[in-house]
Amino acid sequence: SFSVCTAMTSKRRNNGRSKKGRGHTCAVRCSNCARCVPKDKAVKRFLVRNIVEQAAQRDVREASVYQDYQLPKLYMKQQYCVSCAIHAHVVRVRNTQIRKNRDPPPAA
């Protein structure tokens, strides 16, 4: 009996996570569905929003006693599981050629 052991093909170079020799990473909860996701696999986005929405911002500024009062912002770190990130268009599905592209993203 002759058997050849070949490595299984890998869809991604990093297997969908950024662990690299750690063995285990702690789990975080998805911001959308509360699923447990490994911290290195979760899709992380930093959300900066105004506490007061755009429509009410002028009313608050006019009612304020201070002339140059800067309204505070809301800073939230969102962590999504892969399925929620794709569903909410946070990340897109890319074809094989684009997935292999290792160039840094363009400076915005």
Side-chain angles (χ1 to χ4, degrees):
S1 70
F2 183 78
S3 64
V4 177
C5 184
T6 58
M8 214 167 147
T9 55
S10 179
K11 194 171 185 179
R12 288 172 190 81
R13 180 185 166 120
N14 64 355
N15 298 314
R17 45 196 304 180
S18 61
K19 192 163 58 75
K20 298 296 176 227
R22 272 193 219 19
H24 182 264
T25 55
C26 62
V28 295
R29 303 306 288 258
C30 172
S31 298
N32 189 41
C33 69
R35 168 187 261 166
C36 277
V37 193
K39 188 178 179 184
D40 58 306
K41 187 172 188 165
V43 179
K44 294 173 267 306
R45 293 291 181 268
F46 201 69
L47 185 72
V48 181
R49 285 194 355 220
N50 291 317
I51 288 179
V52 182
E53 67 264 5
Q54 196 69 39
Q57 220 164 18
R58 203 179 92 238
D59 299 335
V60 171
R61 202 173 288 123
E62 287 172 1
S64 177
V65 177
Y66 305 106
Q67 264 68 43
D68 298 324
Y69 180 67
Q70 191 71 33
L71 285 167
K73 292 189 180 298
L74 186 69
Y75 298 95
M76 289 170 54
K77 186 169 186 182
Q78 302 279 35
Q79 295 173 320
Y80 299 101
C81 63
V82 175
S83 55
C84 284
I86 292 169
H87 182 74
H89 304 297
V90 176
V91 291
R92 306 279 157 123
V93 177
R94 298 176 294 169
N95 70 18
T96 314
Q97 279 77 33
I98 300 170
R99 211 183 294 142
K100 302 269 187 247
N101 183 9
R102 309 239 327 133
D103 295 333

